[in-house]
Amino acid sequence: MNDFVLAIDQGTTSSRAIVFDAKGTIVSTGQKEHEQVFPKAGWVEHDPHEIWTNVREVVGQALTKADLTHENIKAVGITNQRETAVVWDKTTGKAVYNAIVWQDTRTQKIIDRLAGDEGADKYKDTVGLPLATYFAGPKVVWVLENVDGAREKAEAGDLLMGTIDTWVLWNMTGGKDGGVHVTDVTNASRTMLMDLDTLQWDESIAKDMGIPLSMLPEIRSSAEVYGEGRRGGLLPGVPIAGILGDQQAATFGQACFEVGMAKNTYGTGNFMLMNTGTEKVPSKNGLLTTVAYKIGDAAPVYALEGSIAVTGSLVQWLRDNLGLIKDAPDIEKLAATVEDNGGAYFVPAFSGLFAPHWRSDARGALVGLTRYVKAGHIARAVLEATAFQTAEVLDAMKADSGVELSELKVDGGMVANEVLMQFQADLLDVDVVRPQVAETTALGAAYAAGIAVGYWSGEQDVIDNWAEDKRWTPSMDADERGRLMRNWKKAVTKTLDWVDDDVD
Ligand SMILES: Nc1ncnc2c1ncn2[C@@H]1O[C@H](COP(=O)(O)OP(=O)(O)OP(=O)(O)O)[C@@H](O)[C@H]1O
Ligand SMILES: [Mg+2]
């Protein structure tokens, strides 16, 4: 068969385009990193125009490598770094400011103002999220309040906002010449502006934030035809038919279709999602309630989510800021030079702490240091930080859902790391299972698009195509597990109450 589905995975670190065949196997890939802009402590930006250029480039790479043209592509799915917000002028197509990235903490004062006397859970019943710098809506507020002329233009109806899915879709479908201004329910559920029951914008929250409704995209399902690739582009006339936020896409690609099924993705950050079916489960333990997916006219499926801001990016930090390793995978060799963490614990609260703590006043700490500690121990502590944070999230997941997982499906760049995966299984005391296609984010978006156009018939195809690659089984005794977790929790307490009011 000469027909394929293309997924565009616009991530925090890089953009990828992947061509999949009907078995869900990777045919070809294009990938390119983009610049991380850090204008001040706590601020993280991307140039949305660079992202759009890279998306086009990686689509070209993927098609060229497999010797395909747009005629071989049945549908395109988009998946994206979530919560990252762009505001642009619909007449010129130019962004009025860089994209403000999900990790960025500059909106703290806006968050405090919105919370007022009612506190961080003010909108939680409606949107499933606590007020935190993580989410997209307040980032748009920051642009409206801080970029010259933005407020006036927005009031005049000249500006559009979007998460990255919307920015990519608008540009792919023609941009200022007829671009489609749409998002899907999963991305919309990360703005703090969507009502989880109606799946529509909550006008009163938009009003509280001062965001004109004319800026907001239309909310659609995760699998339907939104538009076609623009004429003169690389994918003219090809239906763009799937959108899922990256973590929801991975949940879909991992075939977590039954209530209680969960996956954990180890990328820039870590994100565990558990399917809770058509029921939205409010969290009492620091998790988020979010939309997992909505396929066409079918009822929406919800999830509980544990979001961890810094995991793989701590490995990058060790590489880029400390120069202890040359490439991310080298951390495994460095960690293997020692037996254990040597007493060192690294809590990477670089953007405050996300789930299950939600402490924006926290900042990173490396504790337990003695003269004994060497680079190998720090490498080990860096890897262990990912596993410890995941263990805390899994505990919250159990408490909120009442589900005891028998195994955890994992994916993302860090699952190549055997030291980490074994330690993770040891710490969780459940099997950790990696699928053959570790690019589940792109795969999930491809499935959504392929299902929308009838390339795949439905979820059963996803289940049939899923295959196990490797399994790690716990081998640590309970006392050791308990000792490690106790130390970790102590280390976390050392990061709290760090940021004072006089810091922006
Ligand atoms: N062998 C490895 N051991 C530990 N960490 C690794 C290894 N290989 C990659 N990483 C880390 O994994 C991350 C990349 O994973 P992945 O490509 O899944 O990220 P991502 O979150 O999808 O990226 P994006 O944010 O662009 O979507 C990087 O942060 C990198 O430091
Ligand atoms: Mg990713």
Side-chain angles (χ1 to χ4, degrees), residues 235-392:
L235 298 161
V238 179
I240 300 158
I243 302 179
L244 286 161
D246 55 5
Q247 302 309 321
Q248 284 88 343
T251 309
F252 203 80
Q254 286 269 33
C256 294
F257 299 130
E258 285 171 35
V259 175
M261 292 179 100
K263 69 87 205 181
N264 196 27
T265 300
Y266 297 70
T268 304
N270 262 37
F271 301 86
M272 190 188 296
L273 271 78
M274 180 184 278
N275 184 322
T276 63
T278 50
E279 189 194 348
K280 53 166 209 176
V281 176
S283 175
K284 294 193 179 68
N285 294 283
L287 303 179
L288 310 175
T289 305
T290 201
V291 182
Y293 54 88
K294 173 172 159 50
I295 302 305
D297 294 333
V301 172
Y302 296 94
L304 277 168
E305 172 175 323
S307 328
I308 303 167
V310 179
T311 57
S313 56
L314 183 60
V315 176
Q316 291 173 336
W317 184 84
L318 210 66
R319 179 193 68 187
D320 301 339
N321 295 39
L322 297 192
L324 274 186
I325 47 174
K326 199 161 151 287
D327 293 307
D330 297 342
I331 195 169
E332 192 156 8
K333 264 182 272 147
L334 187 54
T337 60
V338 294
E339 291 286 299
D340 55 27
N341 64 20
Y345 291 79
F346 198 152
V347 186
F350 295 171
S351 301
L353 284 170
F354 283 18
H357 306 284
W358 298 105
R359 290 289 296 258
S360 53
D361 59 321
R363 284 298 178 270
L366 179 51
V367 300
L369 298 185
T370 59
R371 282 197 70 179
Y372 174 72
V373 170
K374 292 192 284 210
H377 297 116
I378 292 175
R380 185 101 201 173
V382 162
L383 292 179
E384 291 184 358
T386 294
F388 284 127
Q389 295 184 94
T390 299
E392 290 188 309

Side-chain angles (χ1 to χ4, degrees), residues 421-502:
M421 289 298 106
Q422 183 57 50
F423 185 75
Q424 184 72 87
D426 287 343
L427 205 60
L428 299 180
D429 201 23
V430 296
D431 280 12
V432 167
V433 184
R434 182 173 73 194
Q436 278 177 11
V437 180
E439 292 278 3
T440 51
T441 300
L443 183 60
Y447 278 132
I451 288 171
V453 299
Y455 180 80
W456 286 293
S457 55
E459 276 108 304
Q460 191 57 46
D461 286 327
V462 184
I463 296 167
D464 294 344
N465 287 343
W466 192 95
E468 181 172 322
D469 173 45
K470 180 145 191 194
R471 176 177 291 265
W472 290 270
T473 302
S475 63
M476 184 182 277
D477 69 53
D479 285 352
E480 176 64 354
R481 187 179 306 123
R483 184 184 74 80
L484 290 166
M485 278 314 294
R486 189 189 73 233
N487 284 339
W488 169 259
K489 284 183 198 298
K490 197 157 41 166
V492 168
T493 65
K494 311 290 178 201
T495 69
L496 305 178
D497 295 319
W498 184 258
V499 179
D500 294 326
D501 281 349
D502 57 356

Side-chain angles (χ1 to χ4, degrees), residues 10-15 32-36 46 50-51 54:
Q10 202 307 298
T12 311
T13 315
S14 71
S15 305
K32 188 164 186 191
E33 291 204 6
H34 55 269
E35 193 188 344
Q36 305 292 317
H46 296 156
E50 180 189 5
I51 283 180
N54 289 4

